[in-house]
């Protein structure tokens, strides 16, 4: 049917066949849900045009209430997408808009989810084709806008474990920050409190940034619309995100979850692609988002007990090295670097000098700091010279004693070996000078007999200075030790 319909150019014949196909489910003369699935799939294959699309769009919404089989319902909504998308750009009234709005508020979760996804995809397709909504399309948007407002409000009040899910809310947020951002009909939607507080992290995170929600999403469709929400937030509210450390970390953590933990390979792939696209349009912000969230993710993984399973008496560790390599490549993948972008690209290269050498990143990641910098169109040797002051600050901070993160300290040591290879005359000398300064005996001149006595006392025991003729000086040994280390 797909091949035949593409060969047929007579729209009169096309409309007649579509009418006959839809007459069967419309009159209840199908033999099984599988029969209806095939009929709806055939309908989806027909070319969308001003003749066939109105028939499909006017018929399918009325069948939603009758359809009790989930597979058939999904096929029905799938057939609606291309024809509704065409109708939104054609000057043909959409007679079923009232029925669609009614079903968007259905008490049946499956109907509401499937139809929300279909309407959202139809609008998103118009945006992807860079087409314009017709006058009739604008009327349709005005009609469905109250349903989108209700979806956002309902999702913001749902508990994280709510069985009704958050797909409808994700669709509304993604549309409001994407295809509908500049449309007059979406003005009221943008003022919904749940949407204005979309960056909230504490005390109650928004339903877009709540890890108790996005780690339990039931289907790839939910994750795909969540990703579109994040793209819209970064693109439209990048200024706010850049000033909000907590929101920036929450956004990055959500992106990393979709890129690493999604059960759908398609979602993982499009997440990496989205990060790459966002890095091209807003490189500095995306660099900060991924750097901070990836460092946090690695720290959390180190704190947790490693996930190890035994296979043939050998330990196998669940590593994300390859996934980390993909996400780093996405941040650094710029097709062209103009002179105005050079300073930004150099800053990005320095931002990742330690993180790109993290021990978790193995050979299967297929990335290196040198290769990443080269992908920006920069020379690693030149960056190592021009940014040597800031690079050394980053290295010494990560490798401070005692280190705030032992794994980052190890990454700093690895980074030093790379820099010693790239620019030995600078960094070998810098490391030697740093070692000499840290090991200078003069740093220990403050230690006297009293300090030695206190240090010799075991933790949780008191030190009594019996040499003082006036009074006893009592110190808590482990407290003094902590103060000494901190000092």
């Amino acid at each position: 049917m797909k091949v035949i319909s593409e060969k047929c150019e007579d729209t009169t014949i096309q409309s007649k066949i579509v009418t006959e196909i839809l007459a069967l489910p419309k009159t209840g003369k199908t033999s099984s849900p599988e029969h209806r699935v095939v009929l709806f799939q055939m309908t989806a294959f027909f070319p969308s045009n001003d003749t066939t699309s109105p028939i499909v769009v006017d018929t399918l919404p009325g069948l939603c209430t009758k359809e009790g089989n989930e597979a058939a319902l999904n096929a029905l909504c799938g057939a609606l997408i291309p024809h509704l998308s065409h109708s939104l750009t054609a000057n043909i009234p959409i007679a079923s808009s009232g029925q669609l709005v009614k079903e968007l508020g259905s008490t049946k979760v499956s109907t509401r989810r499937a139809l929300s996804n279909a309407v959202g995809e139809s609008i998103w397709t118009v945006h992807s084709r860079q087409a314009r909504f017709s006058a009739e399309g604008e009327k349709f948007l005005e009609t469905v806008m109250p349903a989108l407002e209700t979806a956002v409000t309902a999702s913001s009040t749902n508990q994280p474990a709510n069985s009704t899910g958050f797909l409808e809310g994700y669709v509304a947020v993604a549309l409001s920050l994407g295809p509908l951002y500049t449309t007059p009909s979406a003005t009221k939607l943008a003022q919904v409190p749940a949407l204005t507080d979309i960056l909230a992290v504490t005390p109650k995170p928004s339903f877009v940034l709540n890890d108790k929600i996005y780690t339990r999403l039931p289907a790839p469709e939910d994750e795909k619309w969540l990703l579109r929400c994040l793209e819209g937030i970064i693109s439209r509210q990048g200024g706010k995100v850049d000033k909000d450390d907590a929101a920036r970390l929450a956004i990055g953590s959500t992106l990393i979850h979709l890129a690493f933990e999604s059960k759908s390979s398609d979602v993982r792939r499009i997440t990496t692609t989205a990060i790459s696209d966002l890095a091209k349009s807003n490189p500095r912000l995306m660099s900060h988002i991924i750097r901070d969230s990836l460092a946090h993710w690695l720290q959390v993984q180190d704190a947790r007990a490693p996930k190890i399973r035994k296979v043939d008496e050998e330990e196998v560790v669940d590593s994300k090295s390859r996934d980390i390599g993909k996400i780093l490549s996405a941040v650094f993948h710029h097709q062209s670097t103009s002179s105005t972008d050079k300073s930004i690209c150099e800053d990005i290269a320095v931002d990742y000098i330690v993180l790109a050498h993290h021990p978790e990143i193995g050979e299967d990641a297929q990335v290196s700091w040198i290769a990443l910098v080269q992908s920006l169109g920069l020379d690693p040797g030149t960056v190592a010279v021009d940014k040597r002051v800031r690079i050394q600050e980053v290295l010494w901070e990560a490798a401070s004693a005692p280190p705030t993160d032992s794994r980052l300290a190890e990454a700093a040591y690895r980074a030093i070996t790379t820099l010693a290879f790239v620019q030995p005359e600078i960094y070998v000398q810098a490391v030697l000078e740093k070692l000499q300064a840290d090991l200078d005996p003069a740093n220990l001149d403050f230690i006297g007999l009293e300090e030695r006595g206190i240090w010799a006392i075991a933790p949780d025991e008191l030190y009594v200075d019996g040499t003082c003729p006036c009074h006893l000086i009592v110190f808590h040994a482990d407290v003094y030790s902590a103060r000494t280390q901190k000092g």
Side-chain angles (χ1 to χ4, degrees):
M1 181 59 70
K2 183 178 187 298
V3 174
I4 294 173
S5 64
E6 291 175 349
K7 298 293 184 181
C8 177
E9 298 180 359
D10 191 331
T11 57
T12 304
I13 295 177
Q14 290 179 359
S15 62
K16 181 179 179 182
I17 297 175
V18 168
T19 301
E20 292 183 359
I21 290 174
L22 294 178
L24 295 173
K26 187 176 180 180
T27 57
K29 295 182 179 179
T30 55
S31 59
S32 65
E34 291 75 17
H35 186 190
R36 295 194 295 278
V37 168
V38 173
L39 294 174
F40 294 140
Q41 289 176 340
M42 291 165 63
T43 304
F45 289 146
F46 269 85
S48 54
N49 51 55
D50 292 353
T51 305
T52 58
S53 294
I55 298 173
V56 177
V57 173
D58 291 346
T59 303
L60 291 182
L63 301 179
C64 288
T65 54
K66 301 178 182 179
E67 189 53 69
N69 181 270
E70 188 171 352
L73 178 63
N74 290 332
L76 183 157
C77 292
L80 181 63
I81 294 172
H83 296 285
L84 178 57
S85 178
H86 175 83
S87 299
L88 290 173
T89 59
N91 282 315
I92 301 173
I94 303 175
S96 62
S97 58
Q99 182 71 36
L100 277 170
V101 172
K102 179 181 177 182
E103 296 305 324
L104 285 172
S106 174
T107 56
K108 294 174 63 176
V109 176
S110 58
T111 300
R112 198 168 64 243
R113 280 174 55 87
L115 208 53
S116 294
N117 182 63
V119 172
E121 286 290 354
S122 301
I123 298 173
W124 198 271
T125 301
V126 175
H127 175 66
S128 300
R129 297 200 321 256
Q130 296 184 342
R132 295 178 62 87
F133 296 103
S134 64
E136 295 296 333
E138 289 285 354
K139 291 180 182 179
F140 175 82
L141 295 178
E142 292 177 1
T143 303
V144 301
M145 205 54 63
L148 297 179
E149 296 172 17
T150 301
V152 174
T153 303
S155 295
S156 66
T157 56
N158 283 345
Q159 295 298 317
N162 195 294
S163 60
T164 58
F166 300 84
L167 176 64
E168 305 94 300
Y170 290 157
V171 170
V173 172
L175 293 179
S176 67
L177 295 175
L180 305 182
Y181 188 72
T182 57
T183 57
S185 56
T187 304
K188 189 176 179 181
L189 176 60
Q191 298 173 353
V192 174
L195 194 53
T196 57
D197 296 335
I198 202 67
L199 293 178
V201 177
T202 55
K204 180 184 178 182
S206 72
F207 66 93
V208 174
L209 303 180
N210 193 332
D211 61 336
K212 295 180 180 179
I213 293 175
Y214 65 71
T215 55
R216 302 174 182 175
L217 295 179
E221 289 77 16
D222 300 69
E223 295 178 329
K224 181 169 64 175
W225 281 106
L226 172 59
L227 175 61
R228 289 172 174 174
C229 290
L230 299 175
E231 290 180 272
I233 290 173
I234 295 171
S235 299
R236 305 298 186 182
Q237 302 184 15
K240 293 182 179 179
V241 173
D242 199 23
K243 298 176 182 178
D244 191 334
D245 294 344
R248 194 168 62 244
L249 180 60
I251 292 171
S253 299
T254 311
L255 285 171
I256 288 178
H257 172 79
L258 295 175
F260 290 1
E261 307 296 341
S262 174
K263 296 179 181 178
S264 169
S265 59
D266 185 54
V267 171
R268 296 195 299 271
R269 178 183 58 79
I270 64 175
T271 300
T272 304
T273 303
I275 291 173
S276 179
D277 293 339
L278 290 167
K280 293 173 188 176
S281 59
N282 203 334
R284 191 186 298 276
L285 176 59
M286 282 306 298
S287 169
H288 293 166
I289 288 175
I290 298 300
R291 180 198 61 188
D292 296 347
S293 57
L294 185 57
H296 175 74
W297 182 87
L298 288 166
Q299 198 169 25
V300 170
Q301 297 305 306
D302 291 338
R304 293 175 179 172
K307 297 179 180 178
I308 298 176
R309 64 181 186 275
K310 288 189 176 182
V311 179
D312 297 330
E313 302 300 326
E314 294 183 1
E315 292 184 347
V316 179
V317 181
D318 183 18
S319 174
K320 296 293 184 182
S321 178
R322 180 172 297 181
D323 296 321
I324 296 174
K326 290 179 180 178
I327 204 170
L328 288 177
S329 297
V331 173
F332 279 77
H333 181 67
H334 292 192
Q335 292 181 346
S336 62
T337 305
S338 64
S339 58
T340 55
D341 295 330
K342 184 178 178 181
S343 62
I344 296 177
C345 291
E346 287 180 337
D347 289 340
I348 294 173
V350 177
D351 286 343
Y352 285 82
I353 181 66
V354 173
L355 197 60
H357 289 86
H358 197 280
E360 184 67 21
I361 305 175
E363 293 182 359
D364 54 342
Q366 299 180 349
V367 296
S368 66
W369 182 77
I370 292 177
L372 291 172
V373 173
Q374 289 174 335
S375 69
L376 292 176
L378 302 175
D379 176 31
T382 303
V383 174
V385 174
D386 294 345
K387 296 291 183 179
R388 57 183 178 274
V389 174
R390 183 162 172 254
I391 287 176
Q392 290 180 31
E393 291 175 353
V394 172
L395 293 175
W396 305 155
E397 180 181 358
S400 61
T404 55
D405 186 331
S406 60
R407 299 268 277 178
L408 275 184
E410 184 179 349
Y413 304 147
R414 293 186 175 194
I416 290 172
T417 62
T418 297
L419 292 166
F421 168 75
V422 174
Q423 289 291 348
E425 64 277 6
I426 295 177
Y427 289 94
V428 171
Q429 183 64 28
V431 171
L432 291 176
E433 291 176 356
K434 179 64 175 174
L435 289 173
Q436 291 173 354
D438 289 346
L439 298 178
D440 187 353
N443 295 331
L444 306 179
D445 288 346
F446 72 95
I447 298 178
L449 293 176
E450 184 178 80
E451 285 78 13
R452 292 179 186 178
I454 295 172
W455 195 267
I457 296 296
D460 298 325
E461 292 186 13
L462 298 178
Y463 169 71
V464 179
D465 185 0
T467 63
C468 180
C470 300
H471 59 276
L472 295 179
I473 304 175
V474 181
F475 291 93
H476 198 283
D478 58 346
V479 172
Y480 181 83
S481 300
R483 288 180 177 176
T484 304
Q485 289 181 357
K486 184 175 181 182

